Amino acid sequence: MKILIVGSGGREHALGWKLGQSPLVSEIISAPGNPGLAELGRTIPIKVEDIGELAAFALREQVGLVVIGPEAAAAAGLADSLAKVGVPCFGPSQAAAELEASKAFMKDFCGRHAIPTADYKVFDDAIRAKAYLGGREPPFVIKADGLAGGKGVVLAETRRDADAAIDEILFLRKFGTAGQRIVIEDFLPGEEASFFALCDGETAAPLLAAQDHKRAYDGDKGPNTGGMGAYSPAPIFTDAMRDLTMERIIWPTLRGMKAEGRPFIGVLFAGLMISTDGPKLIEFNVRFGDPECQTLMRRLKSDFAPVLLAAAKGELANAPPLEWDSRPAVTVVYAAQGYPDYPLTGSVIRGLSEAGEIEGVEIFHAGTRLDQDGNLRAAGGRVLNITAIGDTLAQAVARAYAAVNLINWPGGFCRRDIGWRALE
Ligand code: AMP
Ligand code: GLY
């Protein structure tokens, strides 16, 4: 079958790399794709939100499975458009994507189904929001309700910063309509982990957990980003923690979504705070994490194509269990200088092929483009993902940075401490 991957990041390149190894797959097509995906098959210039065009293309090309990468495509209703034309889709309907597209919906949903998460209140009025903070202790957690590319969360240490964040979101509309409402919630102490489960509307199958590094600079300093690096396994996420997460968070969500007429198909990404009394849900995403996905794909040994197809068709219960490489894997994100606020694009990147030859290393493209002369250039904030697998996490990390050091890209920067918690 042909698989159409929707998206253009490192996550999508890693999915294409993995799915392209399947004997069931004749072609990996991506929309809009990137130069890494272009090495795997056709890239077509359709934007992820152009759901009508994507569905028409999938039908015309007799695509056997569409895999939705980014939340924007799911929230725009791509799965619904594909259902109308009868093309199997791995990814949630617009109604199910509300779990990520509205934090207020997600928090209310958790309340209805007793899913452990921080206490919260929703506001559309800045004066009331500020008055509410008056009776509370810092740190204050303030979130834009809608999709803000992972940047809509402010952790404020002082009332002044918290008030400024409320004004920026509600008055100045820093995140546009995503900030028509805000959620203020309790601060959860603990260590974070990203956990993933495949869902077919009725059944869930656990994948693995990974740990992301959200801050831009070494030592977890600097602004929040979409993620600067990831590693798996996350030592804090034991098998017991996984079982608790399935029992307290994933299964109640799957059952609740079905009961509310929004059955969830796709990958459910639970952003968790691991506390002494178990996992607490920070947020749901309705897609793979980026860069967690790249790390997971490096550890997946089974053929992924039949499993995603089974999930898309509601037949996950019959799919064979997934086999994983027991060795750890790591991903280092190489970002353009200035990321996340003002990434400088256009700079030339050299040395990728030498870097990719290091044992255990695989490089995925994210925000790259090829110019007319065939030079690879930065075209986004997060530009390259250097993944490596090794016998130990230390070896995987050493391999990834050996590859980074061979890449000649003065316009880029990366964190040098990916995996530090697990290495300590
Ligand atoms: P989110 O986009 O909701 O995942 O939030 C981004 C980041 O902010 C998370 O990865 C956490 O590091 C942090 N965060 C969000 N909500 C909370 C909370 N209630 N308590 C502590 N940290 C939080
Ligand atoms: N790396 C976190 C995310 O994809 O949202």
Side-chain angles (χ1 to χ4, degrees):
M1 65 179 167
K2 295 179 189 171
I3 291 188
L4 172 62
I5 296 179
V6 174
S8 61
R11 166 182 55 206
E12 288 77 19
H13 187 189
L15 287 168
W17 170 81
K18 181 68 203 174
L19 292 166
Q21 295 165 18
S22 168
L24 297 176
V25 175
S26 58
E27 190 182 2
I28 296 287
I29 309 171
S30 56
N34 64 34
L37 280 155
E39 288 169 14
L40 302 172
R42 274 181 291 164
T43 59
I44 52 163
I46 307 179
K47 293 201 198 86
V48 306
E49 293 93 350
D50 286 345
I51 57 172
E53 263 195 77
L54 286 168
F57 175 87
L59 185 64
R60 196 166 64 237
E61 289 277 341
Q62 297 188 301
V63 166
L65 176 67
V66 175
V67 177
I68 299 183
E71 63 276 15
L78 178 56
D80 309 79
S81 296
L82 290 164
K84 281 192 201 125
V85 296
V87 175
C89 172
F90 179 79
S93 67
Q94 189 172 42
E98 280 288 282
L99 275 183
E100 176 169 359
S102 168
K103 291 190 190 288
F105 171 81
M106 172 282 212
K107 297 295 285 190
D108 292 344
F109 177 87
C110 288
R112 289 195 291 278
H113 299 283
I115 293 163
T117 185
D119 284 339
Y120 71 104
K121 253 187 143 63
V122 182
F123 295 93
D124 58 11
D125 178 292
I127 295 172
R128 290 219 179 102
K130 289 177 193 173
Y132 174 72
L133 290 186
R136 304 173 59 83
E137 295 293 317
F140 305 106
V141 184
I142 294 154
K143 303 185 175 186
D145 175 51
L147 295 178
K151 296 172 194 121
V153 175
V154 178
L155 298 185
E157 294 295 339
T158 63
R159 260 308 290 282
R160 180 193 286 223
D161 288 351
D163 286 354
I166 290 171
D167 285 337
E168 274 177 1
I169 300 173
L170 285 177
F171 277 142
L172 302 178
R173 287 291 158 89
K174 185 171 177 191
F175 303 110
T177 53
Q180 274 167 337
R181 294 190 292 175
I182 57 171
V183 173
I184 297 182
E185 63 182 44
D186 288 354
F187 180 81
L188 296 171
E191 197 177 318
E192 282 179 64
S194 304
F195 176 67
F196 302 87
L198 297 180
C199 303
D200 72 353
E202 299 249 351
T203 302
L207 299 176
L208 302 181
Q211 221 156 2
D212 188 11
H213 300 60
K214 298 249 180 186
R215 302 296 197 99
Y217 313 131
D218 285 16
D220 290 328
K221 301 219 163 61
N224 252 320
T225 70
M228 293 300 290
Y231 58 96
S232 170
I236 191 172
F237 201 81
T238 56
D239 287 356
M241 200 55 74
R242 178 199 59 211
D243 295 346
L244 279 181
T245 305
M246 290 300 290
E247 180 195 321
R248 294 182 185 171
I249 297 177
I250 304 296
W251 282 111
T253 300
L254 209 58
R255 285 194 289 264
M257 290 295 276
K258 187 174 175 231
E260 296 190 11
R262 307 168 185 251
F264 188 91
I265 296 172
V267 60
L268 192 56
F269 164 179
L272 301 171
M273 195 65 88
I274 308 301
S275 67
T276 42
D277 55 342
K280 298 250 167 66
L281 183 68
I282 299 174
E283 64 163 353
F284 271 135
N285 296 302
V286 300
R287 46 157 179 96
F288 279 105
D290 187 339
E292 291 96 323
C293 178
Q294 294 83 309
T295 310
L296 257 50
M297 290 303 108
R298 290 311 308 280
R299 296 190 60 209
L300 180 58
K301 293 215 282 203
S302 316
D303 185 352
F304 211 23
V307 182
L308 294 190
L309 185 64
K313 291 183 164 175
E315 296 165 1
L316 199 52
N318 306 326
L322 291 171
E323 272 184 62
W324 300 93
D325 197 319
S326 59
R327 292 175 299 162
V330 66
T331 302
V332 175
V333 170
Y334 216 162
Q337 297 283 358
Y339 176 76
D341 290 328
Y342 305 101
L344 286 170
T345 58
S347 52
V348 175
I349 303 161
R350 295 203 167 83
L352 278 200
S353 36
E354 295 88 322
E357 274 163 26
I358 291 181
E359 196 183 345
V361 167
E362 199 69 48
I363 297 176
F364 298 118
H365 290 242
T368 63
R369 70 177 169 87
L370 282 172
D371 69 15
Q372 287 128 323
D373 305 322
N375 294 311
L376 192 69
R377 289 180 185 269
R382 294 188 294 174
V383 175
L384 292 169
N385 305 139
I386 292 81
T387 68
I389 196 160
D391 293 333
T392 59
L393 181 63
Q395 187 183 50
V397 167
R399 286 173 169 178
Y401 284 114
V404 165
N405 292 340
L406 287 178
I407 297 173
N408 177 359
W409 181 30
F413 78 100
C414 65
R415 279 182 59 162
R416 291 276 165 183
D417 64 348
I418 299 304
W420 69 269
R421 273 180 204 279
L423 290 174
E424 253 181 7

